[in-house]
Amino acid sequence: MSLERELAQLAHGTQPRRGQNGHPPRRPLDELGDESAADRMSALFDEHELADDGGWTCGEPAYAPEERTAVLLTHGRSGARRRGLTRTQKVSIAAAVAAAVVTAIAIVLFVGKASWPPSVSTVEDQAAKACQNPDVQSEPGQVNFACAEATRKILWVFALMTSGNNANFRDPETGRVGLEPITPSQGGQVAWSLNFHHPYDPTNPIDSLAVAARAINNIIGGATVTAADGSPVVQPGLESHPANCARYTGSAEVTSREGYPRLCARPVTSPAGQAALVADVYQKWVVGAPPRQAQDAAVLFANADNPGDPRVQAILKRLPHVRPST
């Protein structure tokens, strides 16, 4: 069949039946699916090769069916429309993004709002004044962990745990008064070595914190006291033991000097070493304190600049005299 006749039949919406040359009959145009008329015409021209004399000859298709399928799969048809996202899909994606943003903002706001109870800043100011007393250092070793600028937070941490930072705190069971967990008579004995110009007042936060600082420093550095017969008695501190020094400083080496308690040869500077020291001090300072409370004190000390830490918030909720700030 000539090309002209075949094109004419194509234009009228019919397909010529062909059994010649091994070609299968053509399907009507309405059965071609999304195959365009341009594609069909192109196929027709592929099947009719141009003869040398300028005429047309009927030959095999320029592309085998497998090759034509490969071309469509790898390149597609020109002008074919690509399917985009549906409205439902777009709404779902937008909702998921919005939820993620809201969650991120909520996390930032929660962490940003987490803070220490207001009493902490008050006790920090009071501790700074109490530490102006030069006699808060241990004698004669001159250990001053409690009032050193980098570790002074131990004062408000301990006061927070034992009395909620309330200088007027009174414990009817033990008779304890003030910020430090010792009886007024014990505080008075410590205050004597601080050269106070007035009797010790456990409800005065400055006096109470100064007594606490001196007691903490003595627990760490030891002290030399005078016995009833007038002879000096050396009382060892936590840093007098090589095993403790290994925990606090990484070295078991200690210094020894006649008349002085032994001390760790290296300073306690690492966060882990300081936390271990704080836990040990707490158990000495609060007689009978369980290990969990000592560990809580170490956690609060280590996270003094991070009140949003989940462990800190959990500890604050457990303290009976403290209301966490959120």
Side-chain angles (χ1 to χ4, degrees), residues 88-235:
T88 302
Q89 290 174 325
K90 291 179 180 179
V91 171
S92 299
I93 293 174
V97 172
V101 171
V102 171
T103 301
I105 292 175
I107 291 174
V108 171
L109 291 178
F110 175 78
V111 174
K113 284 185 177 180
S115 61
W116 295 107
S119 62
V120 169
S121 60
T122 299
V123 176
E124 284 183 315
D125 293 339
Q126 295 168 344
K129 295 178 181 178
C131 287
Q132 292 177 358
N133 187 322
D135 297 320
V136 296
Q137 301 177 89
S138 69
E139 289 290 344
Q142 301 294 293
V143 171
N144 197 16
F145 185 89
C147 280
E149 185 174 354
T151 53
R152 186 183 299 169
K153 52 196 173 185
I154 191 176
L155 292 174
W156 65 257
V157 167
F158 281 13
L160 181 68
M161 292 193 63
T162 57
S163 63
N165 280 335
N166 178 14
N168 294 315
F169 176 83
R170 293 178 181 272
D171 188 337
E173 295 183 1
T174 64
R176 179 168 69 87
V177 179
L179 297 177
E180 73 278 351
I182 54 180
T183 64
S185 59
Q186 291 174 318
Q189 293 175 2
V190 176
W192 176 81
S193 61
L194 292 172
N195 296 316
F196 281 163
H197 297 289
H198 55 78
Y200 167 64
D201 181 4
T203 62
N204 181 316
I206 308 300
D207 288 3
S208 186
L209 288 169
V211 167
R214 177 60 181 259
I216 290 171
N217 287 332
N218 283 347
I219 291 172
I220 297 173
T224 300
V225 297
T226 303
D229 59 1
S231 60
V233 177
V234 177
Q235 296 179 333

Side-chain angles (χ1 to χ4, degrees), residues 284-298:
K284 292 284 187 179
W285 196 53
V286 183
V287 179
R292 180 180 180 180
Q293 286 186 10
Q295 186 59 37
D296 286 350

Side-chain angles (χ1 to χ4, degrees), residues 27-41:
R27 292 179 297 146
L29 288 178
D30 58 0
E31 296 180 6
L32 292 178
D34 59 354
E35 183 179 3
S36 66
D39 294 330
R40 184 67 187 89
M41 288 184 179

